[in-house]
Amino acid sequence: MRKLKLLLVLCVLAVGGAILPANAYSTSDLTSAGWTNVTSITDVNNYFYIFVDASAQETAMGRGASTTDKPRYIALANPVETSSEVWVLEKTGDKYSIKSFTDAYYFNSANNGWQDFCNPSKSSADFTFTLSDGKYQISNSSVTSYNTQSEGQYVGPWTNKTPSVNENIACNKNINNTNGFYLYSIPRSAFLAKFLVNASSSSEINLTALIDHATITDATPTGWTLTKDGGNNPAYNSSLFEIYNASSYTLQQTLSLIPGIYTLGVSGFYRAGGATGTAQNSFLFMGDKEQAINNINAGGYDTAPGTGKWSDGNDSKKVPNDMAAAGYAINTDSKYANTFYGIDVTTNSVALGLKLSTHVSGDWTIFNYFTLKCTGVYLSAISEAFTSGSTMAAGQWYYYDIPTAGDYDFTSSDAATLTYTTDGTQLASGATGTESIFTAAGTNKIALSAGRLYLKASAATTLTVSNIYKVGSATP
């Protein structure tokens, strides 16, 4: 009998010739964590996505083994802890780009479909999602060189129809040799409230993937809105985007975030008319905060490199005088980096980009490679609503509204340290407060003012708030 049980277990785990590990995390856990199995794709800029293989529902599409490697199947896990399974979709027309949340690298494919890879900029990754029986078949129209009898344009396992963990993903599968994917989504704000809790100045978290086409790839940048007055038509060359001689301009997009402290970056410079002008009139901005980007003279050379045209700038330095020269300085020598630290974001929606404040005849702004990082989120942004009598998860911050000033009885079902504060503007990673220690199950009385209270317990416990003693009254 024991041998039969073992055989049955092996049969369950051995799928398509590959042994899949027993997995403690399931699609039911995804649903419990707020993820939804979706059958329509809308408003992609406000959601994150997980691709779960339709046959082996304990495997998901994850980042490759190395930075530029092709995506692969990984064991489904808690996405807050395993963010490599989280993806961003960008829509252009009726097609989508698939971008890794962890590092903003795009899922790309060569025309033969098996040379797929990840890259910081989108090349030929135009995917089509077709819904059938609740799952999506994903195809890539850029895959044109394949054997029509055995291959195709569909995304699926490298070898077997049912994938094994760490198996690479290919884009040249015949539709009969791929299972398709169940697509799970979650609002960005809901996921970020969990994911960014530990962000700090010493442990910043990369959110560049949230910027639609953070690396601009043409003269009409997808994902961005450009409004400008006068000047030449925008141009794209040497992997850079330029705006020349405009009276004013604003290039921007709006992101879904949560309140906190952020760092915005871009590579590029502003030239105030001639090469020796010192004004800094182009500004990197986020919400109502702004910072001037580098003047062209911030990155001069003692001797002009051989690429492009160069002019005499200040201090006997050579500075770029065309897009090729600017491309050399920015792309080859990593000059003209701009970093805007400590941006205080207080809303769940914020615009960011570049803008010109004051025009100088012949001025020139040239740039690319936006970046975004988080160095902390506010306690008020990550706290969950607490109801008296419910169970608090260990270490999770909650909020509870105190209706009237007075003494309150807090009854805990377990030994725990209860930390509480009224300061929701603290950064969550270092938030502190007053402690009330329960050495065992019992009741502690706490004097509180009316207003919002933030609280967390050191251990899971069921907490009940009761017995309100009003100030100046002898009775509850």
Side-chain angles (χ1 to χ4, degrees):
M1 176 63 71
R2 185 171 298 175
K3 290 182 178 180
L4 177 60
K5 288 182 178 179
L6 178 60
L7 178 61
L8 289 173
V9 170
L10 289 174
C11 288
V12 170
L13 294 180
V15 185
I19 301 295
L20 297 177
N23 193 359
Y25 202 87
S26 68
T27 52
S28 295
D29 295 314
L30 272 184
T31 302
S32 297
W35 292 79
T36 302
N37 185 357
V38 297
T39 54
S40 64
I41 304 174
T42 59
D43 198 18
V44 294
N45 290 334
N46 288 317
Y47 289 89
F48 293 120
Y49 298 90
I50 292 177
F51 298 81
V52 178
D53 186 81
S55 68
Q57 293 188 48
E58 291 189 340
T59 58
M61 183 167 73
R63 283 291 276 113
S66 64
T67 304
T68 59
D69 200 7
K70 53 181 63 63
R72 57 179 174 168
Y73 289 92
I74 63 175
L76 188 64
N78 182 342
V80 173
E81 300 170 355
T82 309
S83 59
S84 60
E85 67 186 4
V86 179
W87 298 83
V88 171
L89 294 181
E90 293 176 349
K91 188 175 184 181
T92 304
D94 61 349
K95 299 184 186 300
Y96 297 88
S97 302
I98 301 174
K99 182 169 63 173
S100 169
F101 167 66
T102 57
D103 57 10
Y105 272 49
Y106 288 87
F107 181 6
N108 287 288
S109 179
N111 66 356
N112 55 29
W114 53 267
Q115 288 184 333
D116 49 320
F117 56 95
C118 286
N119 199 353
S121 61
K122 182 180 79 71
S123 57
S124 57
D126 294 321
F127 293 96
T128 299
F129 288 66
T130 303
L131 184 67
S132 177
D133 295 328
K135 60 187 179 182
Y136 284 96
Q137 292 288 359
I138 304 172
S139 60
N140 188 337
S141 59
S142 65
V143 177
T144 57
S145 177
Y146 58 87
N147 182 325
T148 56
Q149 298 300 314
S150 61
E151 299 179 353
Q153 299 175 317
Y154 289 90
V155 176
W158 188 265
T159 304
N160 300 307
K161 183 174 181 179
T162 300
S164 57
V165 171
N166 292 325
E167 182 174 354
N168 286 331
I169 290 177
C171 292
N172 65 335
K173 307 301 293 185
N174 184 286
I175 194 170
N176 296 319
N177 291 321
T178 179
N179 305 297
F181 296 87
Y182 292 117
L183 189 63
Y184 285 78
S185 75
I186 193 171
R188 290 186 180 181
S189 58
F191 180 72
L192 292 176
K194 298 283 190 182
F195 186 74
L196 298 179
V197 167
N198 295 318
S200 67
S201 57
S202 61
S203 184
E204 59 187 10
I205 295 178
N206 186 1
L207 296 179
T208 301
L210 274 61
I211 302 177
D212 195 342
H213 289 81
T215 296
I216 295 172
T217 56
D218 55 49
T220 55
T222 302
W224 297 89
T225 299
L226 174 63
T227 56
K228 76 179 192 71
D229 182 21
N232 293 7
N233 290 330
Y236 178 84
N237 203 338
S238 301
S239 298
L240 299 176
F241 183 81
E242 74 164 14
I243 300 174
Y244 179 76
N245 203 32
S247 298
S248 65
Y249 77 81
T250 301
L251 179 78
Q252 66 179 349
Q253 61 177 266
T254 300
L255 303 187
S256 293
L257 291 174
I258 60 174
I261 306 297
Y262 295 86
T263 300
L264 182 63
V266 73
S267 294
F269 61 77
Y270 169 78
R271 187 186 68 187
T276 57
T278 58
Q280 294 175 262
N281 293 340
S282 277
F283 286 80
L284 189 62
F285 74 90
M286 189 170 184
D288 59 357
K289 315 299 191 303
E290 61 183 36
Q291 174 179 289
I293 67 169
N294 286 311
N295 178 276
I296 192 172
N297 286 286
Y301 290 79
D302 292 329
T303 303
T307 302
K309 298 178 181 178
W310 300 81
S311 295
D312 294 325
N314 296 328
D315 302 320
S316 301
K317 301 288 187 179
K318 299 294 184 181
V319 295
N321 193 32
D322 66 4
M323 297 187 77
Y328 183 89
I330 294 171
N331 299 327
T332 303
D333 284 350
S334 301
K335 288 181 176 285
Y336 300 111
N338 302 271
T339 307
F340 187 4
Y341 295 100
I343 306 171
D344 184 6
V345 173
T346 59
T347 61
N348 290 318
S349 179
V350 62
L352 58 76
L354 274 172
K355 62 182 179 181
L356 180 70
S357 62
T358 304
H359 173 56
V360 175
S361 179
D363 58 7
W364 181 32
T365 308
I366 185 166
F367 57 90
N368 208 348
Y369 317 121
F370 286 88
T371 60
L372 180 66
K373 298 177 181 180
C374 179
T375 57
V377 290
Y378 292 123
L379 191 59
S380 59
I382 59 90
S383 298
E384 297 181 2
F386 171 74
T387 303
S388 176
S390 61
T391 299
M392 301 176 67
Q396 170 65 47
W397 282 98
Y398 297 85
Y399 67 86
Y400 182 75
D401 290 329
I402 304 298
T404 308
D407 292 340
Y408 287 74
D409 282 345
F410 284 72
T411 302
S412 175
S413 65
D414 296 88
T417 297
L418 184 69
T419 304
Y420 60 94
T421 179
T422 58
D423 184 7
T425 64
Q426 294 187 76
L427 294 181
S429 59
T432 60
T434 303
E435 292 186 349
S436 181
I437 300 174
F438 295 85
T439 56
T443 299
N444 290 351
K445 186 176 293 184
I446 303 175
L448 297 170
S449 301
R452 178 153 291 185
L453 184 71
Y454 299 93
L455 63 164
K456 73 172 179 178
S458 61
T461 184
T462 299
L463 192 71
T464 303
V465 183
S466 59
N467 293 353
I468 304 172
Y469 294 87
K470 297 181 180 178
V471 174
S473 173
T475 59

